[in-house]
């Protein structure tokens, strides 16, 4: 759903052909979203069918014509409406780690507690990478889209932090309940 | 540069003996940015206080650059604190009656160096902290972030071997905190050893290494890889 | 700005930021120093004025020959003149005179030999007569008098004007022949001096053929000591040859007890000031605990922290002491007159006109102020320097107990009290050592007691509060409950403020008890001894015991008896004389007449035989102080110097007597006249015929005899009342000093309450937010203050009773050698309690207002 609006958003700024669209997409949201060309083109086809985008052909030497995509009036309206509507769906609770929890050994909390620590360390390292990238971003603030990139990294950091906090709570609760049993 | 061997700290709370720290051994290398994490009451601050010479262990040994911090007199410890350690606190701990620049000069003034000789350096530091316009302001006239930057300047004026920070952003909002961490991260990049107590993993992520304390003992020690490039 | 500068910088800012506290500290120390300085200066000035009088009035004279106070025969003069080495020996008649123009003015009258006196003393006349070589020639006529420029200006006296002077014969007029420049002798008694021809003076003051003094100048090259010995050898026993300075020493020793007493009491003020400083510094350290923590964390050593706070105390104490010196000088100027008057009435006539400031007292004041402040600050500062930087920064709650636990304090308290008891016992029973006999030693016993009780204060206050909580009226009262809880929270600190109140009240009750009891003893004695109906005296009754006045002719008793309604009148004469190097009082009564209606309070000897032993015989009765000081009793003999030489008298009895603390010797009038040839009287005791109206008889006497002289005719009750008043007046300074002490104690309460109000800002905010009224908030604070005042008051009264008793046992016994019964001064105790509650309530007002002003929102966000 959001891929559709991301592409509308990119085309709202500038008319682009498919390849340029992919680069721009990667630059803006690639941090947490990667799409292949197939996905890009199938989405463009869908958008054209809904009359949200249209394309012009541009002739090239020795190669097939390039399709230059642009947003339609309907597309622009729909984009604006989407931009002004809050997101209703919050983050999914479904998590791989949670599935591991479901199947943990209820008699011996040792392995799961070890896992929690490893997971936390993993998150910390991830946060460290994000932070380092943010710090280097900060050093070249002239870069056009550094703000959104930074905000995106912040989001990642906050999510990771939340995960670490949740894992800490898990460990503490597991210890408290299972510690009693043993 | 800092080596802690089997350090323990216990004290009496009424008639009850409390072990704030048990048998902690730790080496902190020069240039590291170490974060100490752990639940409240886990002994984070106690460990930091021992490293900074604010307190002495009841057992074990602590060395800074090979010189012991344990079993020495209060005056000797005080001088190490004054000359080798820079402190940054959660509540900034600036003297409210002094101006920013006077606060920054404080450690060297205690050393007996005349104000006029320190002031240029203090002003320079404040300028580096982005407080060039605020040198003559008193803490009450500064925002939280500004106060903490004054405190960092104060900690740096002695060119300390190690910078200790105890929840340096505990009283600041996220955005201001980030500015402070960027400052610290820059300092670390230039080679400043930093030890920071925090409960905020976002803060720890700026560092190079994270240790976690539990019930006064060392529980985890995670190296985060190199400093930012 | 170096380190010292920085610390000074921090301190000066604090001094300014904690205005109220700084002000109170300064005010307290300032008052204490002022008390010490003013009393010191005044005491010194009075002594100085004696010295000046002696030195000025003696001119070039190197030695003075004195004998019995009533004067000695002129023949002695010739004997002195013939001693080898004597250049000039000039006679002097020295007497007190009253200028009876409008408001009476006392002055000293010097009768000198107009022909030779200028060889020893130099006089100079005011400019209009400057060409006359010897001003004394003006005095050739018997009605002539010279007055000083000071007197002339003040009284508006012109040359050739007649002035009225009280003499033995009554008021006489003298013609002013010249006015003396204020130089040399003319500076005596602050310029209250008149000069007469010696012959005229002898006549006017009943000293025909007798002189009071011979002033001697020495030939060049003669040794003072040699000539002194020669003169002593040439004279009969009973004469004293002294240098003028030596004579001032006598006076100094005479006044020393009185003056030391005042000095010591003035020190109480600074001690209370120490309590104040102790609290102020402790509070400042608690309040700045975080600052200490930060400084320590940044690398300030303990020494640096100590220096910071001691430096602040030093700074404040220097300012306060300097102000105190200034205030002390102002005080001294305003009280020197009153104290001079008291000393004149009690001891010797003096006319201090102003204060003389020597460097000692300002320096003493500053040293006392600074040392006391620093000493008081040491303990809290030491504690402050030991504050752990970790707990200070983390705002771990400050526990005030620490080193000063209740048990330790109580042990120290008990030790001090035992020490006080030991010192008192040494004073009382081990009087062979001069140290143990001294007033200061006794004083230290009181000090230990007070200190001991101060240390007990936290325990007492705790008990007092729980007692207070049991009161049904207050048990369910929120304000009472809060006040009690607040007091208990900073127990030690509050106890120090209470101890200051305690100290002030104890000084007050101590003085009151001492005065009350000695007064009771004296009055009991007076009631027994003075049985007449009317007293006729030459001076105000207040001066009837010690000071010198213009006496009346002895035979005036006959004139008094001629007044209708008078049954009898009999004379009393008093003289001071030198006995074994001590000034003692000679009290002369007509034994035969006196025995008809009055009697002695005999402690040793047979009362029934007294009349027979004394009348017309060379026997005497001595007072208890005399008996104990010179170790004599019935059956012993004493040798007294008389104008006719040394005479041996038998001691018939020892009696209770409070006339003079050095000792009194009673002598029969007839015997006195035989040896002294003195025909003067200082007082007449008049009895009224049965059924006559005392007041009418009094008026008749006044009318008949008071016409041409200053005469005080008082019904005996009024006479006694006047004496009572005089005794009260004597202790006016003790009361004044205890009020000063109380004032300092009140500053202590203000500092303490202010601190506790500021510390509980948040708590007050919470109380206000849940609906406590402003007036309830301030009510709690005032209630705390009153509770502290009453607690201090109660213990202070207790301590005051004990120290008063020690004083009485010690000082009174030392002075009069008789035990005075201790009377608890209930009236004063009531006053003390009212004062302690009232003053502390006043002291609570300012902190209460501060508490009531607390802004609720701000207080709740207060960190």
């Amino acid at each position: 759903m959001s891929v559709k609006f991301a592409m509308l958003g990119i085309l709202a700024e500038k008319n682009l052909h498919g390849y340029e669209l992919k680069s721009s997409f990667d630059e803006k949201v690639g941090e947490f979203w990667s799409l292949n060309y197939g996905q890009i083109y199938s989405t463009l086809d869908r958008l054209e069918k809904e009359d949200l985008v249209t394309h012009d052909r541009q002739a090239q030497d020795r190669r097939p014509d390039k399709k230059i995509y642009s947003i339609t009036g309907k597309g622009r309206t729909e984009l604006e409406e989407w931009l002004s509507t809050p997101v209703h769906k919050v983050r999914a609770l479904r998590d791989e780690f949670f599935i591991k929890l479901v199947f943990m050994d209820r008699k011996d909390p040792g392995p799961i507690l070890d896992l929690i620590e490893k997971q936390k360390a993993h998150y910390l390292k991830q946060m460290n990478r994000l932070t380092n990238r943010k710090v280097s971003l900060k050093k070249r603030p002239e870069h056009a889209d550094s703000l959104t990139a930074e905000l995106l990294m912040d989001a990642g950091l906050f999510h990771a932090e939340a995960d670490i906090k949740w894992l800490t709570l898990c460990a503490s609760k597991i210890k408290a309940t299972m510690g009693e049993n043993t | 540069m800092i080596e802690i061997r089997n350090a323990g700290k216990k004290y009496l709370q009424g008639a009850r003996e409390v072990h704030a720290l048990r048998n902690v051994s730790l080496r902190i290398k020069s240039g590291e940015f170490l974060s100490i994490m752990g639940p409240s009451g886990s002994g984070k601050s106690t460990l930091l206080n021992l490293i900074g010479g604010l307190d002495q262990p009841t057992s074990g040994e602590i060395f800074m650059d090979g010189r012991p911090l344990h079993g020495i007199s209060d005056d000797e410890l005080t001088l190490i604190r004054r000359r080798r350690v820079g402190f940054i606190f959660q509540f900034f701990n600036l003297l409210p009656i002094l101006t920013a620049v006077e606060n920054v000069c404080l450690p060297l003034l205690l050393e007996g160096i005349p104000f006029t000789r320190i002031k240029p350096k203090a002003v320079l530091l404040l300028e580096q902290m982005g407080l060039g316009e605020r040198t003559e302001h008193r803490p009450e006239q500064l925002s939280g972030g500004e106060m903490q930057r004054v405190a960092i300047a104060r900690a740096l004026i002695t060119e300390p071997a190690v910078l200790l920070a105890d929840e340096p952003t505990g009283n600041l909002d996220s955005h201001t905190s980030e500015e402070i961490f960027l400052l610290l991260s820059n300092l670390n990049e230039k080679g400043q050893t930093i030890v920071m107590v925090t409960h905020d993993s976002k803060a720890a992520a700026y560092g190079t290494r994270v240790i976690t304390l539990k019930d006064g003992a060392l529980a985890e020690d995670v190296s985060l890889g190199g400093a930012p490039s | 700005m170096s380190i010292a500068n920085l610390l000074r910088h921090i301190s000066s800012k604090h001094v300014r930021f904690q205005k109220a506290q700084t002000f109170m500290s300064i005010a307290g120390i300032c008052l204490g120093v002022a008390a010490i300085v003013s009393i010191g200066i005044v005491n010194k000035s009075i002594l100085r004025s004696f010295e000046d009088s002696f030195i000025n009035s003696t001119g070039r004279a190197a030695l003075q020959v004195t004998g019995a106070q009533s004067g000695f025969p002129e023949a002695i003069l010739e004997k002195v003149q013939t001693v080898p080495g004597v250049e000039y020996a000039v006679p002097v008649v020295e007497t007190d005179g009253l200028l009876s123009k409008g408001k009476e003015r006392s002055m000293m009258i010097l009768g000198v030999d107009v022909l030779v006196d200028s060889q020893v003393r130099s006089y100079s006349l005011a400019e209009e007569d400057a060409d006359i070589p010897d001003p004394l020639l003006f005095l050739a006529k018997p009605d002539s008098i010279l007055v000083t420029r000071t007197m002339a200006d003040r009284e508006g006296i012109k040359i050739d004007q007649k002035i009225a002077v009280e003499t033995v014969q009554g008021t006489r007029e003298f013609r002013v022949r010249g006015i003396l420049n204020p130089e040399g002798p003319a500076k005596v008694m602050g310029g209250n001096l008149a000069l007469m021809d010696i012959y005229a003076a002898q006549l006017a003051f009943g000293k025909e053929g007798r002189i009071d003094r011979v002033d001697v100048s020495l030939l060049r090259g003669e040794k003072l000591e040699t000539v002194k010995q020669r003169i002593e050898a040439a004279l009969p026993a009973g004469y004293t040859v002294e240098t003028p300075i030596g004579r001032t020493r006598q006076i100094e020793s005479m006044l020393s007890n009185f003056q030391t007493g005042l000095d010591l009491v003035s020190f109480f003020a600074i001690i209370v000031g120490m309590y104040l400083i102790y609290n102020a510094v402790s509070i400042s350290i608690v309040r700045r605990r975080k600052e200490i923590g930060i400084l320590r964390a940044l690398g300030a050593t303990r020494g640096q922290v100590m220096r910071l706070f001691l430096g602040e105390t030093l700074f404040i104490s220097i300012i306060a002491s300097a102000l105190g010196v200034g205030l002390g000088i102002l005080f001294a100027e305003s009280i020197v007159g009153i104290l001079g008057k008291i000393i004149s009435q009690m001891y010797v006539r003096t006319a201090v006109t102003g204060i003389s400031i020597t460097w000692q007292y300002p320096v003493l004041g500053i040293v006392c102020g600074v040392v006391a402040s620093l000493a008081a600050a040491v303990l809290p500062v030491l504690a402050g320097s030991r504050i752990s930087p970790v707990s200070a920064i983390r705002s771990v709650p400050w526990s005030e107990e620490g080193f000063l636990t209740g048990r330790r304090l109580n042990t120290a308290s008990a030790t001090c009290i035992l020490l006080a008891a030991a010192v008192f016992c040494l004073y009382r029973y081990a009087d062979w050592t001069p140290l143990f006999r001294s007033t200061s030693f006794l004083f230290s016993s009181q000090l230990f007691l007070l200190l001991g009780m101060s240390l007990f204060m936290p325990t007492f206050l705790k008990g007092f509060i729980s007692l207070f909580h049991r009161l049904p009226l207050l048990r369910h009262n929120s304000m009472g409950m809060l006040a009690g809880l607040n007091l208990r929270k900073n127990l030690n600190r509050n106890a120090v403020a209470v101890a200051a109140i305690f100290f002030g009240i104890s000084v007050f009750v101590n003085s009151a008890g001492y005065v009350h009891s000695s007064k009771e003893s004296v009055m009991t004695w007076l009631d027994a001894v003075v049985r007449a109906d009317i007293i006729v005296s030459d001076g105000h009754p207040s001066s009837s015991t010690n000071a010198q006045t213009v006496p009346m002719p002895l035979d005036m008793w006959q004139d008094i008896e001629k007044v209708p309604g008078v049954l009898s009148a009999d004379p009393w004469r008093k003289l001071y004389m030198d006995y074994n190097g001590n000034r003692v009082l000679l009290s002369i009564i007509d034994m035969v007449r006196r025995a008809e209606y009055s009697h002695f309070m005999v402690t040793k000897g047979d009362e029934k035989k007294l009349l027979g032993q004394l009348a017309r015989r060379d026997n005497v009765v001595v007072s208890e102080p005399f008996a104990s000081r010179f170790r004599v009793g019935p059956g012993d003999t004493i040798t007294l110097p008389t104008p006719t030489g040394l005479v041996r008298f038998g001691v018939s009895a020892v009696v209770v007597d409070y006339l003079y603390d050095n000792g009194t010797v009673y002598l029969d009038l007839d015997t006195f006249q035989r040896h002294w040839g003195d025909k003067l009287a200082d007082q007449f005791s008049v009895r009224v015929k049965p059924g006559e109206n005392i007041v009418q008889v009094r008026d008749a006497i006044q009318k008949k005899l008071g016409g041409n002289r200053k005469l005080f005719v008082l019904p005996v009750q009024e006479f006694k009342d006047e004496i009572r008043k005089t005794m009260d007046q004597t202790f006016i300074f003790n009361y004044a000093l205890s009020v000063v002490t109380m004032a300092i104690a009140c500053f202590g309460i203000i500092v303490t309450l202010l601190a506790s109000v500021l510390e509980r800002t948040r708590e007050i905010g919470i109380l206000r937010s849940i609906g406590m009224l402003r007036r309830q908030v301030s009510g709690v604070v005032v209630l705390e203050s009153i509770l502290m005042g009453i607690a201090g008051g109660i213990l202070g009264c207790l301590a005051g009773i004990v120290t008063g008793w020690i004083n009485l046992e010690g000082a009174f016994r030392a002075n009069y050698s008789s035990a005075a019964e201790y009377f608890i001064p209930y009236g004063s105790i009531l006053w003390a309690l009212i004062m302690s509650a009232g003053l502390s309530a006043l002291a609570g007002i300012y902190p209460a207002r501060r508490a009531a002003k607390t802004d609720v929102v701000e207080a709740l966000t207060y960190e």
Side-chain angles (χ1 to χ4, degrees), chain C residues 237-560:
Chain C
Y239 286 88
T240 316
V241 186
E242 257 296 7
T243 58
I245 288 292
R247 276 187 70 195
T248 66
R249 298 275 171 277
Q250 287 181 336
I251 297 217
E252 275 173 27
S253 75
M254 186 168 77
L255 293 181
S256 77
N257 258 6
F258 178 75
Q259 295 199 328
T260 313
L262 279 186
D263 272 339
L264 293 180
V265 178
S266 73
F267 274 92
F268 277 119
I270 203 95
I271 291 171
V272 174
M274 286 177 76
Y275 284 77
L276 170 70
I277 289 292
Y278 175 93
N279 250 12
V281 174
S282 315
I283 289 164
S284 163
I285 280 174
V286 173
R287 203 185 292 170
R288 285 160 60 185
R289 217 161 69 89
K290 189 151 181 181
E291 175 189 318
I292 296 173
I294 296 170
L295 285 172
R296 292 277 289 128
L298 294 181
T301 57
R302 283 181 182 157
Q304 284 176 321
V305 171
M306 279 186 76
R307 258 175 279 154
L308 171 68
F309 281 90
L310 286 180
E312 273 171 42
T313 312
L314 183 72
F315 174 72
I316 286 180
S317 69
I318 287 176
I319 288 186
S321 304
L323 288 175
V325 167
L327 191 66
I329 291 171
L330 286 181
F331 276 176
E333 265 167 4
S334 54
I335 63 175
V336 70
I338 309 170
L339 198 66
K341 205 168 126 196
I342 289 171
I343 287 185
S344 293
Q345 283 167 358
M346 298 264 302
Y347 301 95
V348 279
R349 183 166 292 290
T350 166
V352 274
T353 47
I355 52 168
S356 54
I357 303 159
T358 50
W359 59 270
Q360 290 106 320
Y361 287 97
V363 169
L364 176 77
I366 288 180
V367 168
C368 280
V370 170
V371 169
S373 305
L374 289 181
V378 158
L379 217 57
V381 166
L382 212 60
S385 76
R386 308 228 145 235
I387 285 176
S388 136
V390 177
S391 62
I393 290 175
R394 307 221 139 248
S395 311
V396 172
W398 166 255
S399 81
E400 70 158 10
E401 287 267 324
F403 170 74
L404 298 170
T405 57
R407 179 171 301 183
R408 282 207 177 119
L409 284 175
N410 287 346
T411 314
S413 159
T415 315
C416 280
I417 291 172
L418 283 176
L419 209 58
V423 168
F424 179 74
C425 289
L426 281 178
Y427 176 87
R428 185 75 177 75
Y429 301 108
D431 51 2
W432 58 85
T433 323
L435 169 73
F436 293 166
R437 281 197 68 122
S438 68
T439 318
S440 321
F441 190 68
L442 183 69
F443 176 77
S444 72
S445 138
Q446 298 182 30
L447 212 56
F448 279 129
L449 181 70
L450 293 180
L451 186 66
M453 290 176 79
S454 300
L455 290 171
F456 179 64
M457 202 55 81
T459 310
F460 175 78
L461 189 60
K462 212 158 137 188
F464 179 78
I465 296 164
S466 38
L467 201 73
F468 162 80
H469 270 276
R470 298 234 171 89
L471 289 179
L473 186 74
L474 295 155
R475 193 165 32 186
H476 303 298
N477 179 312
S478 64
M479 278 161 72
M481 193 186 73
L482 283 172
L485 288 176
N486 288 334
L487 282 180
R488 225 183 291 192
K489 196 154 51 188
N490 287 308
L491 192 63
N492 280 2
R493 182 211 288 171
N494 292 329
V496 172
V498 174
I501 294 284
F502 150 83
F503 222 100
I505 289 294
S506 83
V507 174
F508 177 78
V509 173
N510 176 349
S511 299
Y514 180 73
V515 176
H516 182 63
S517 305
S518 41
K519 210 161 68 183
E520 283 298 320
S521 305
V522 171
M523 287 335 254
T524 313
W525 165 77
L526 262 183
D527 285 342
V529 176
V530 181
R531 289 291 177 86
D533 300 314
I534 294 171
I535 301 292
V536 177
S537 77
D538 52 354
H540 194 260
S542 61
S543 58
S544 62
T545 46
N546 287 320
Q548 297 159 17
T549 46
V550 184
M552 301 165 285
L554 181 66
D555 44 19
M556 213 168 94
W557 66 268
Q558 292 166 332
D559 299 332
I560 297 173

Side-chain angles (χ1 to χ4, degrees), chain A residues 117 125 128 134 139 161, chain B residues 178 189 200 202 205 207 224:
Chain A
E117 287 310 328
K125 284 178 184 161
N128 179 245
K134 194 167 82 175
K139 283 180 182 158
E161 186 196 13
Chain B
E178 200 176 277
E189 206 177 322
D200 179 355
K202 290 199 300 300
L224 298 178

Side-chain angles (χ1 to χ4, degrees), chain B residues 45 49 54-55 74-75 78-79 81-82 87 89 91 93-95 97-99 102-103 106-107 109-116 138 154 166, chain C residues 1-4 6-7 9-11 13-14 17 290-304 385 388-390 393-394 863:
Chain B
S45 293
N49 291 339
L54 271 180
D55 213 343
D74 184 82
D75 276 6
T78 305
L79 288 182
R81 209 154 64 213
R82 188 197 288 168
F87 277 103
F89 303 97
F91 295 104
N93 283 335
L94 300 177
L95 291 197
I97 52 167
L98 299 182
T99 61
E102 285 166 350
N103 262 298
L106 207 49
L109 287 169
L110 288 170
E111 191 65 32
I113 303 169
F115 183 65
T116 43
R138 277 214 250 113
R154 180 177 69 184
D166 191 350
Chain C
M1 186 162 47
S2 68
I3 167 105
L6 167 89
L7 297 184
H9 188 58
I10 294 181
S11 299
K13 288 191 173 186
H14 275 295
F17 278 106
K290 189 151 181 181
E291 175 189 318
I292 296 173
I294 296 170
L295 285 172
R296 292 277 289 128
L298 294 181
T301 57
R302 283 181 182 157
Q304 284 176 321
S385 76
S388 136
V390 177
I393 290 175
R394 307 221 139 248
E863 178 91 39

Side-chain angles (χ1 to χ4, degrees), chain C residues 41 87 98 201 208 257 307 400 499 583 652:
Chain C
I41 286 180
E87 185 192 22
L98 281 175
E208 292 93 335
N257 258 6
R307 258 175 279 154
E400 70 158 10
R583 203 171 130 105
S652 301

Side-chain angles (χ1 to χ4, degrees), chain C residues 6-70:
Chain C
L6 167 89
L7 297 184
R8 208 176 304 145
H9 188 58
I10 294 181
S11 299
S12 70
K13 288 191 173 186
H14 275 295
V15 165
R16 269 183 284 139
F17 278 106
Q18 305 176 350
K19 269 188 212 124
Q21 189 182 317
T22 310
F23 172 77
M24 301 297 157
S25 304
I26 289 183
I29 287 297
C30 171
L31 271 182
V33 169
I36 290 183
V37 170
S38 61
I39 293 296
I41 286 180
V42 165
N43 277 343
K44 187 72 192 167
S45 301
I46 286 169
L47 289 180
R48 179 59 77 88
S49 93
F50 284 122
E51 273 169 32
D52 285 352
S53 292
F54 282 126
I55 288 160
N56 287 325
S57 73
T58 48
R60 291 203 307 117
L63 291 169
Q64 293 188 319
V65 179
T66 49
Q69 193 223 350
S70 63

